[in-house]
Amino acid sequence: MSALSERPENPSVGVAVPHESAKLHVTGAALYTDDLIHRTKDVLHAHPVQVPYAHARVTALDVTPALRVPGVVRVLTAADVPGVNDAGVKHDEPLFPDEVMFFGHAVCWVLADTFEAARLGADAVEVGVEPLPSHVTLREAIAAESFQGATPQILRGDVEAGLADAVHVFSGEFEFAGQEHFYLETHCSLAHVDEAGQIFVQSSTQHPTETQEIVAHVLGRPSHEVTVQCLRMGGGFGGKEMQPHGFAAVAALGATLTGRPVRVRLTRTQDLTMSGKRHGFHVDWRVGFDDAGRLQALDATLTADGGWSLDLSEPVLARALCHTDNAYWLPHARLTGRIARTHKTSSTAFRGFGGPQGMLVIEDILGRCAPLLGIDPAELRRRNFYQAGQSTPYGQPVRHPERLHRLWEQVLDSGAIPARQREIDAFNAGHPYTKRGLAVTPVKFGISFNLTAFNQAGALVHVYKDGSVLINHGGTEMGQGLHTKMLQVAATTLGLPLERVRLAPTRTDKVPNTSATAASSGADLNGGAVKHACEQIRERLAQVAATMLGVNAADVRIADGIARGIGADAGVVWNDLVRAAYFQRVQLFAAGFYRTEGLHWDSSVMQGSPFKYFAYGVAAAEVEVDGFTGAYRTRRVDIVHDVGDSLSPLIDIGQIEGGFVQGAGWLTLEDLRWDTGDGAARGRLSTQAASTYKLPSFSEMPEVFNVTLLTDAAEEGVVYGSKAVGEPPLMLAFCVREALRQAAAAFGPAGVSIELASPATPEAVFWAIERARAGAGDSTVAEADVAPPQPGAGSHAMRPESEQVGQAVSRA
């Protein structure tokens, strides 16, 4: 095993320790960005001037009335920007726009002594607009050919030949909704300028370096004049990867112009109406199976709802295409992507980053086609699993596919799936108005940024003369436990008890040029950098210890805070060793760096190996559905997940549980609605509060929730043999949606195929039940008559495509 993966004896990694800020969280002592205003003098409060049109040209802007409001100090407009009036990395997001691109787009910001004065000042600003045509729904944008960005395509084999040779060919259409991040802490920034003109921004951001860069170019300054710090976030989920930059730039601009600290903190309604969400998608597909139900070919066009600007839509779409295969071998594939421009908030990163959307495509296809093939859905999935030696449609070999099979069998065994399925069949036969469903689904998720350059990280580790240790790294903490894992990595590498190590807040003047804490790569990248820095210090101290102990430096081991020679009882205590090193003028701090090896990706042809490894998981869910209302409850969930050799088991299990519930929310509850009428409210987000946007709560938690980590799963070439855990568990929730499909089908005749909207709300489930009862099932997917075998066709029958192409549409 490599030095990166190998663990010493009695390591701190692998121990189930609480989150490093758990006590602070539960006592309310944890500081977040907005808490800092109470420690800052003379803060100005910013409030946006939002325009209530989905699409309009700004023809006049009069801020004079706002300046007459008591307490208003200044109104920020485009004329105040000394640098570039843009807050996006694609240069398509004006910070102060002259064209409103979504309902609630902010055209200027009011600064005042109090938040209420700023609000009243914003109400007083007079904005003249010329309404313009708008595309609110994804279908409207597609019909108008309103597209933006790249149109990538993944090709393997000959799709047309594969479909022609297939025994069964189906085609269909599917549209599914996005998702609101709904982190507990809304977007927030606090900026001030020091006596030297340096800008310091406290920001709730997953990407401090990019926030720094955007602030710098808006202000027309070099990056070294801007420092961004992130203490911690009250949730991020991808929503704070790109979206915080503009808010930080507003705060920084206000601070430079007024000389006073400026706070930007969105209300919940502002956050919901101004910030981006998960991409919704529309999909057209054709799929072919052989007579044993094995996938032969898939032709799919995925259209992402990008909203008004590109943001991260291109890499989100690329990852969606790369994950459309999920855990299944596709001999022939043509996966085409495009991004629609709609007049809504710009869609952005969200946990899974396109992976869930791509996987949902194939899982929905298998769930709809299984009854038409006469094959149990779980068996259909199992038959199509990747096998050793196979590769993805984009050319990456699938390593350790045997783990999929191990996970599958473990869930079937520990969850007693066959016995429970028989119980469910008996229950359904005796209950005409209530039905149960049970489904098992897999996950194969690639870990690394698709853009190879982002797969790097830095760290700075200090050992002080008293033996205490301080670590800095480029990752941000949003509740996911990254800092906890980094403390464990540092303690393990230095051979110290965990309590001897402390972690400093993430700052761009300590570790520069960092990547976003995203793509589930935080522990891999920053852990590698922290380990590298600690190894440098440990090697220097080993030289000192070797002299003190009279042994070779290669024979020195540091464990539990004591340096010893191999096999020796006598040793040097850490504090004495550090003190001796200081007096010998040995460097006691180090900068660490890590870059993920073995990656290569050509985005122009969508081919290569963009991922370091695949994270695997399998989940089973049992649901019970009320036939009168479509209401349902999740009776039991069983999960076995592959996290390699866990760095921190308690943290990882929490991430699996939380990710699963968030995924179930996206698939079954969270229903984003915009006003699509032609009235004055067109384009307005209707679900702009917790009262109208349904979030998972305790009542949606599974009554029995079993989570197990796969054993004997150490991953070679990753820090201490671990695997990422942030995003993959979200996609385990496919089993809930598929169990609902099974339960709805139980209300109809055997073999009925069920069309199920996403999110599968109780309303959507009710209508699926009604179609099942009528025997109609999924009228949108049909198979054409199989033509007689043609010469040269071998064992496959030649046949035309499906003749019905329909739609399974969720409200978006």
Side-chain angles (χ1 to χ4, degrees), residues 46 147 200 213 540 598 628 687 759:
F147 298 110
F200 183 60
E213 292 169 353
R540 296 171 197 153
F628 293 110
T687 50

Side-chain angles (χ1 to χ4, degrees), residues 5-66:
S5 303
E6 188 176 358
R7 296 189 176 193
E9 294 184 7
N10 303 317
S12 290
V13 293
V15 179
V17 300
H19 191 288
E20 47 89 24
S21 293
K23 290 182 180 178
L24 300 179
H25 289 159
V26 299
T27 60
L31 288 177
Y32 296 86
T33 300
D34 203 44
D35 295 319
L36 301 176
I37 66 165
H38 305 295
R39 304 179 173 208
T40 308
K41 185 181 178 183
D42 298 330
V43 174
L44 290 174
H45 303 260
H47 197 285
V49 176
Q50 295 180 264
V51 177
Y53 288 90
H55 190 201
R57 183 175 294 107
V58 177
T59 57
L61 182 64
D62 186 1
V63 303
T64 306

Side-chain angles (χ1 to χ4, degrees), residues 209-227:
T209 288
E210 199 164 75
T211 300
Q212 174 193 33
E213 292 169 353
I214 295 296
V215 169
H217 85 232
V218 167
L219 297 180
R221 305 279 196 97
S223 288
H224 76 268
E225 292 186 14
V226 178
T227 297

